């Protein structure tokens, strides 16, 4: 039961069930991204002297966030790629709708999944043009689960533990539904993409989050607290530095919250004087320097500098990275590729100088030495291309380049 004169009042119970994709399609018919799932819940309204108390509890089962594989397509059978999914999302809201029927004062709201928990308080001006939001938010992250979810994009060798978080603020305006456009009016590209953004472009805020430790492809680091700001649909993490493998790790990433959700790294040194481990060689180092692949043992240090680093989460093969790997001398137990190259080199040596070839083949070859050097590399079109990489075994020197 609703009444609007002389002040808004509401009383009753509402149960609802809806298809998330269909609701989204009605509000944002031109979006190239969409959520899916089944939304069920109830809303209870209780009148008071100058407000209406609201309590709501609901859940979304089978939630997925999807992006269209062919942007701006209009066919009914468009194909979508799942970017994120949750088995269930639990939602709760407690608040008061003030007598003007416009301002919702939120005393407590929660959003809970297997990976993330969010609590928020604040206010929403529902019928302002556009609607305005001001929230204070606290987040709890399950890094074990998040690490598992991120592996399809970042690979299997990612382990993050512990959570460090602090409250943050979020304020701004919400986009108006695109279904309200006048007939025959064509949406601009910016208006079309607005509904595909993870966060409305007009929202701003600050936040902090971190972890107690992490191991990413053999790079181990301790506790980190990240401070970031959100503005114009960009999340910029303040530059941070942390000890890692007896060296230093420096990062200042930015995240574009519109498709395809780019992660960009600032130009400059990323890794400095970090100790090489076999896990690194089995993971990402082998793509920059193939001779590191499947090495049995590894000693030495390296640094890494990037000139360009763009990683789209929704399109992993569109990664663009360029930079330089600085090897501060390293010793490797040869893997299969290195042994094959050594066999070829010894064969050529034997043809040119049989005496030297026999001496080299009699060596007990257990180590490959990589002298101090800088190896330029780039990642484009799913390929990693490296320039001159030098290695030495006994009196044999080998140079490699290519992909």
């Amino acid at each position: 039961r609703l009444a609007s004169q002389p002040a808004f009042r509401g009383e009753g119970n509402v149960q609802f069930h809806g298809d998330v994709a269909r609701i989204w399609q009605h509000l944002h018919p031109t979006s190239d991204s969409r959520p899916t799932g089944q939304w069920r819940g109830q809303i209870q309204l209780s009148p008071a002297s100058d407000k209406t108390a609201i309590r709501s509890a609901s859940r979304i089962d089978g939630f997925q966030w999807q992006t269209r594989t062919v942007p701006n397509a209009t066919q009914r059978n468009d194909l979508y790629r799942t970017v994120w999914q949750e088995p269930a999302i639990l939602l709760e809201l407690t608040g008061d709708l003030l007598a003007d029927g416009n301002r919702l004062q939120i005393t407590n709201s929660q959003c809970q999944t297997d990976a993330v928990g969010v609590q928020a308080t604040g206010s929403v001006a529902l019928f302002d043009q556009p609607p305005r939001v001001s929230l204070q938010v606290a987040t709890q992250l399950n890094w074990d689960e998040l690490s598992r979810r991120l592996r399809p994009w970042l690979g299997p060798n990612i382990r993050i533990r512990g959570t460090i978080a602090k409250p943050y603020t979020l304020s701004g305006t919400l986009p108006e539904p695109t279904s309200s456009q006048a007939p025959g009016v064509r949406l601009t590209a910016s208006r079309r993409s607005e509904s595909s953004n993870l966060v409305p472009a007009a929202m701003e805020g600050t936040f902090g989050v971190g972890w107690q430790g992490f191991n990413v492809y053999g790079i181990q680091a301790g506790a980190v607290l990240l401070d970031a700001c959100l503005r114009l649909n960009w999340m910029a993490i303040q530059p941070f530095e942390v000890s890692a493998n007896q060296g230093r790790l420096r990062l200042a990433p930015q995240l574009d919250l519109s498709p395809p959700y780019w992660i960009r790294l600032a130009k400059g040194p990323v890794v400095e004087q970090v100790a090489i481990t076999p896990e690194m060689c089995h993971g990402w180092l082998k793509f920059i320097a193939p001779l590191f692949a499947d090495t049995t043992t590894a000693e030495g240090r390296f640094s890494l500098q990037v000139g360009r680093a763009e990683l789209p989460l929704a399109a992993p093969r569109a990664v663009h990275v360029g930079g330089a790997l600085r090897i501060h001398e390293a010793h490797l137990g040869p893997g299969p590729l290195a042994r094959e190259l050594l066999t070829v080199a010894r064969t050529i040596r034997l043809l040119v100088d049989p005496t030297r070839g026999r001496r080299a083949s009699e060596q007990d070859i257990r180590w490959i030495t990589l002298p101090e050097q800088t190896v330029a590399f780039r990642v484009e079109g799913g390929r990693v291309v490296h320039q001159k990489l030098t290695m030495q075994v006994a009196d044999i020197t080998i140079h490699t380049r290519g992909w």
Side-chain angles (χ1 to χ4, degrees):
R1 184 170 73 245
L2 300 176
S4 58
Q5 297 295 335
F8 178 89
R9 294 184 62 199
E11 182 178 4
N13 293 286
V14 178
Q15 294 185 336
F16 63 89
H17 174 206
D19 183 280
V20 175
R22 294 181 64 182
I23 296 172
W24 185 266
Q25 173 67 20
H26 175 73
L27 296 175
H28 306 285
T30 61
S31 174
D32 287 326
S33 299
R34 70 177 185 184
T36 66
Q38 295 297 311
W39 190 11
R40 296 176 174 85
Q42 62 180 6
I43 302 173
Q44 180 181 3
L45 304 177
S46 302
S49 58
D50 59 349
K51 60 187 177 181
T52 297
I54 298 178
R55 295 179 60 88
S56 175
S58 62
R59 63 181 290 150
I60 301 174
D61 292 304
F63 174 86
Q64 295 185 354
W65 182 264
Q66 302 176 332
T67 58
R68 205 190 308 261
T69 55
V70 181
N72 302 326
T74 57
Q75 300 93 327
R76 293 183 61 85
N77 60 344
D78 292 337
L79 297 179
Y80 286 83
R81 179 179 183 273
T82 298
V83 177
W84 194 263
Q85 58 185 347
E86 295 286 350
I89 300 178
L90 304 181
L91 303 168
E92 293 185 8
L93 171 68
T94 302
D96 297 311
L97 188 60
L98 303 186
D100 60 6
N102 179 35
R103 185 168 300 277
L104 174 62
Q105 197 70 34
I106 301 172
T107 55
N108 182 51
S109 63
Q110 298 185 40
C111 174
Q112 185 70 48
T113 74
D114 291 342
V116 179
V118 179
Q119 291 183 309
T121 61
S123 64
V124 181
L126 297 172
F127 299 111
D128 280 5
Q129 297 297 325
R132 180 167 294 277
V133 175
S134 178
L135 300 174
Q136 295 76 49
V137 187
T139 303
Q140 290 294 325
L141 304 177
N142 181 346
W143 279 115
D144 289 335
E145 181 63 19
L146 282 173
S147 299
R148 186 183 69 81
R149 302 283 186 87
L150 291 172
R151 284 169 190 161
W153 295 284
L154 303 181
N157 299 315
I158 296 177
R159 295 182 294 276
I160 306 175
R161 58 181 177 81
T163 296
I164 303 173
K166 63 181 183 181
Y168 58 94
T169 61
L170 192 63
S171 62
T173 58
L174 301 176
E176 298 178 66
T178 56
S179 59
S180 63
Q181 63 180 335
V185 175
R186 184 178 180 84
L187 291 174
T188 63
S190 60
R191 183 72 179 277
R192 174 187 290 273
S193 63
E194 171 73 10
S195 58
S196 299
N197 299 339
L198 294 180
V199 176
M203 298 294 286
E204 298 183 357
T206 61
F207 77 98
V209 67
W211 46 78
Q212 297 292 345
F214 71 89
N215 184 330
V216 178
Y217 286 98
I219 297 180
Q220 301 182 42
V224 176
L225 176 61
L226 307 179
D227 290 308
C229 62
L230 172 67
R231 188 171 184 269
L232 298 177
N233 214 47
W234 277 90
M235 183 179 294
I237 297 177
Q238 298 301 312
F240 69 93
E241 181 176 335
V242 61
S243 297
N245 290 57
Q246 306 169 41
R248 305 295 294 175
L249 177 66
R250 292 188 175 95
L251 290 172
Q254 294 183 330
L255 175 61
D256 185 351
L257 299 179
S258 58
Y261 314 115
W262 292 94
I263 295 177
R264 291 185 170 94
L265 301 181
K267 179 180 179 179
V270 175
V271 174
E272 291 189 355
Q273 294 283 347
V274 165
I276 299 172
T277 67
E279 188 176 359
M280 292 180 197
C281 299
H282 300 160
W284 62 276
L285 266 178
K286 69 181 180 183
F287 296 109
I288 298 176
L291 291 179
F292 284 78
D294 300 320
T295 184
T296 55
T297 52
E299 295 178 1
R301 293 178 180 271
F302 75 96
S303 298
L304 183 67
Q305 181 159 333
V306 298
R308 178 190 184 191
E310 299 177 337
L311 301 86
L313 293 179
R317 292 187 63 83
V319 168
H320 296 286
V321 179
L325 174 68
R326 180 72 177 177
I327 300 174
H328 305 288
E329 191 172 41
H331 303 279
L332 308 176
L337 177 59
R339 290 186 179 277
E340 184 175 339
L341 290 174
L342 289 172
T343 299
V344 173
R346 285 201 300 264
T347 300
I348 296 173
R349 174 66 62 82
L350 182 62
L351 293 174
V352 175
D353 185 343
T355 303
R356 292 184 65 190
R358 281 195 296 270
R359 285 202 302 270
S361 63
E362 292 165 359
Q363 292 282 344
D364 182 15
I365 299 174
R366 290 177 295 178
W367 290 100
I368 296 174
T369 298
L370 285 79
E372 180 112 5
Q373 60 188 295
T374 299
V375 182
F377 70 93
R378 69 180 189 276
V379 183
E380 287 184 350
R383 294 180 177 179
V384 183
V385 181
H386 76 280
Q387 299 300 320
K388 186 179 178 182
L389 172 67
T390 301
M391 73 173 187
Q392 296 175 339
V393 179
D395 60 347
I396 299 176
T397 300
I398 296 176
H399 304 289
T400 68
R401 64 188 303 170
W403 54 272

